[in-house]
Amino acid sequence: MNKINNGSSAPPRLDIQQSWWAMNGIGNGVREWITEEKVEKIAEAGFTGINGFLPPQDKQEEWHHLLEKYQLSFSISAYPWNREDLSILLKQAQDFGVQHVNSQVMDSFVIGEEAVQLLKGLTEEAERFGTPHFVETHRGRITQDLLRTVDYVKAIPNLSLTIDFSHYVVAGEMVGDIFRAEPFLNELLQRCGCIHGRVSNGEQVQVDIGPNGEHPMLNRFKGWWKQGMEKWLMDARVGDIFPFVCELGPPGYAITKNSYSKGNMEEISDRWEQSLLLKRIAEEQWAECVKGLEE
């Protein structure tokens, strides 16, 4: 499984990234923060990176300056339909200097052997460029279904995943006792190269977990996150980096009091405060994993 490595002699480390998409609409209560304010707040909060999209040419100098100024890593998301799509983006990503590429592979109607061959081709292309590349477990994409995604990892030994089980929990309406799903989820955790942090209750893809993580589904997600980290750490080398992205989307991922008027979609949650809580939880799970390996 491919890993991110910075070439240093430092022990394997956690890189907690804030989703740039999750910063949509975030501000001081009066106005949305501008770009540098958002980057500054991310760094001040202790995040070590940003997950976003490749900036357009006229914004790349600004982004290079901000990432260097605030000492943040930078990863991007991609939506390839074919190998050529990914190849073009990988060249651009390499030129910009992104840490890794997260692919939501299009689309959910590509299944069976056609899907396997597409994923193999994308994996080969990323290896050709030498760019860490993870395919996200995402509904509405080629990985729409938990069971078919298990078939993909069995067919492609070097396929690495971004684990975001909120999509499978809501798509499968996983509520209550979900013991039948656990063996399949465990299969995917063996290929975990990155985690996107969000909690689903089986009815909504993204819920408020409470000011201190009181939501009962959080323990299940914490268990999956910790398991993915443990699997990754088992064969990690010096210089390896594990990204955990706090990815709380704006409306319509975020639940709002008014769901039908775009001009008046007041969120029921404080997404920024919830992102900070997810960051703390990820750090706690990582510390427990490291401690467990040392004992």
Side-chain angles (χ1 to χ4, degrees), residues 23-34 37-38:
M23 297 302 289
N24 284 359
I26 302 296
N28 60 10
V30 177
R31 61 170 178 80
E32 183 172 350
W33 291 325
I34 63 172
E37 287 176 316
K38 290 180 180 180

Side-chain angles (χ1 to χ4, degrees), residues 171-183:
E173 200 172 16
M174 296 183 189
V175 296
D177 194 347
I178 60 171
F179 71 95
R180 293 186 66 185
E182 290 290 356

Side-chain angles (χ1 to χ4, degrees), residues 16-20 22-23 25-29 31-50 63 66 69-72 272-273 275-276 279:
I16 300 205
Q17 302 181 355
Q18 170 67 346
S19 164
W20 192 248
M23 297 302 289
I26 302 296
N28 60 10
R31 61 170 178 80
E32 183 172 350
W33 291 325
I34 63 172
T35 298
E36 181 159 4
E37 287 176 316
K38 290 180 180 180
V39 176
E40 181 180 28
K41 294 294 184 182
I42 287 169
E44 284 180 351
F47 290 97
T48 49
I50 292 173
W63 269 94
L66 291 174
K69 178 178 178 179
Y70 294 100
Q71 292 296 290
L72 296 168
W272 177 244
E273 290 298 324
S275 294
L276 298 180
K279 172 183 173 293

